Amino acid sequence: MSFKSKVVIVTGASSGIGAYIVTAFAKEGADVVLVARNEDRLKKVAKECEGFGGEPLMVPADITIDDEGKNVIAKTIEKFGRLDVLVNSAGILRTGLLEKGDIMKVFDEVMNINVRAAVNLMKYATPHLIQTKGNIVSISSVGGQQVFAEFMASYSTSKAALDMFSRGAAVELGKHGVRVNVVSPGGVLGTSLLANAGFDPQLTADDFAFRSLLGRWSELQEIADLVLFLASDKAKGVTGSNYTCDNGYLNDKQCFKKGVILK
């Protein structure tokens, strides 16, 4: 799938799924825009993208701040003159409980980055995507369809909200030829989501009771492949869809009972 002459924004591009996605687009010839808060890690990913012959635009930004989200789109148009694909990959996991009393701080933080920031970027990207008949792909989670554990309720709520908003955006923008889709991974190797949420960074997939019908977690490449497919003309008839890549987790009744509980 060639994305030559296409301009692609990827948020959360400094690590994990976002970093892998933006590198995959660069490899396919896209002009990529890397967005994240951590400038040092962003520089490393941008260097990888340069290795494929392009000139990536790096925009260090806290997209939970409305004006910084607006600036991401403005800088993209200033440099490249167009926008073809917006990938909302930035996301966080935080744990909190009603009984513990810390729920509102956790809830607000998770909703701000996982939902509100994505919606704000979509708003500013929309007029440019209408011009190019471009598309939006957001990274959600099977957590939007199943609460893994009680302390992850805020995370699951945010992903369910992202799923539903994306469906609504697909309905609104379809008349302009703009497609909006979601990719929902299950367990994925090589991300920092759990470590950033306070879990031991040395833990592996075998340390969790998060199982699947196929007995495995996905690799970053699998998620990137789905995103590139949905962003390409090969998926020109796909909009308002949620592509799940969970190795059968949601279809395993025993997995539902186990949830995500450490051994």
Side-chain angles (χ1 to χ4, degrees):
M1 289 176 284
S2 174
F3 285 89
K4 190 173 178 59
S5 80
K6 301 292 186 181
V7 178
V8 181
I9 294 174
V10 181
T11 68
S14 63
S15 64
I17 292 174
Y20 209 96
I21 289 171
V22 77
T23 305
F25 272 112
K27 187 176 182 179
E28 294 297 329
D31 289 317
V32 293
V33 182
L34 296 77
V35 183
R37 286 180 288 193
N38 191 311
E39 187 170 357
D40 290 337
R41 291 192 303 197
L42 210 55
K43 287 178 180 178
K44 293 180 181 179
V45 181
K47 192 71 174 178
E48 290 184 48
C49 294
E50 288 175 1
F52 298 111
E55 296 183 8
L57 172 63
M58 192 177 68
V59 186
D62 179 354
I63 57 172
T64 63
I65 300 171
D66 288 1
D67 284 346
E68 293 201 23
K70 180 180 180 180
N71 189 51
V72 167
I73 306 301
K75 283 185 174 294
T76 299
I77 301 304
E78 179 183 347
K79 180 173 178 63
F80 297 115
R82 61 182 289 145
L83 174 61
D84 297 276
V85 182
L86 169 63
V87 180
N88 292 307
S89 184
I92 60 170
L93 167 64
R94 296 291 183 266
T95 61
L97 292 166
L98 291 167
E99 292 177 306
K100 190 176 177 181
D102 61 350
I103 192 64
M104 292 314 301
K105 179 180 178 181
V106 168
F107 184 85
D108 287 344
E109 184 180 8
V110 170
M111 293 297 287
N112 277 342
I113 184 64
N114 291 3
V115 185
R116 195 179 188 284
V119 173
N120 187 53
L121 277 171
M122 290 185 208
K123 178 185 72 173
Y124 290 114
T126 288
H128 305 289
L129 292 173
I130 288 174
Q131 288 181 5
T132 60
K133 295 188 183 300
N135 65 85
I136 300 167
V137 183
S138 294
I139 305 300
S140 184
S141 166
V142 291
Q145 302 170 58
Q146 163 70 19
V147 178
F148 300 141
E150 66 276 11
F151 54 80
M152 293 187 182
S154 294
Y155 176 77
S156 290
T157 299
S158 73
K159 293 304 186 179
L162 182 62
D163 293 349
M164 188 57 70
F165 188 88
S166 296
R167 289 176 63 186
V171 172
E172 177 186 354
L173 301 179
K175 61 181 175 290
H176 299 293
V178 176
R179 299 183 295 108
V180 184
N181 292 291
V182 170
V183 172
S184 289
V188 181
L189 300 170
T191 77
S192 56
L193 187 71
L194 293 170
N196 290 340
F199 290 89
D200 185 344
Q202 301 302 315
L203 293 173
T204 68
D206 291 336
D207 294 307
F208 286 84
F210 187 107
R211 297 294 183 258
S212 69
L213 291 176
L214 299 180
R216 65 185 295 274
W217 282 23
S218 293
E219 297 177 356
L220 293 170
Q221 180 69 58
E222 299 167 54
I223 309 305
D225 286 345
L226 267 180
V227 172
L228 265 67
F229 165 70
L230 289 172
S232 75
D233 289 340
K234 290 181 181 294
K236 60 186 177 184
V238 181
T239 194
S241 293
N242 187 337
Y243 273 55
T244 299
C245 183
D246 68 346
N247 296 287
Y249 171 80
L250 289 177
N251 292 299
D252 187 337
K253 293 181 181 179
Q254 291 189 357
C255 290
F256 274 111
K257 293 178 183 178
K258 291 176 182 177
V260 182
I261 300 176
L262 296 178
K263 290 181 178 178

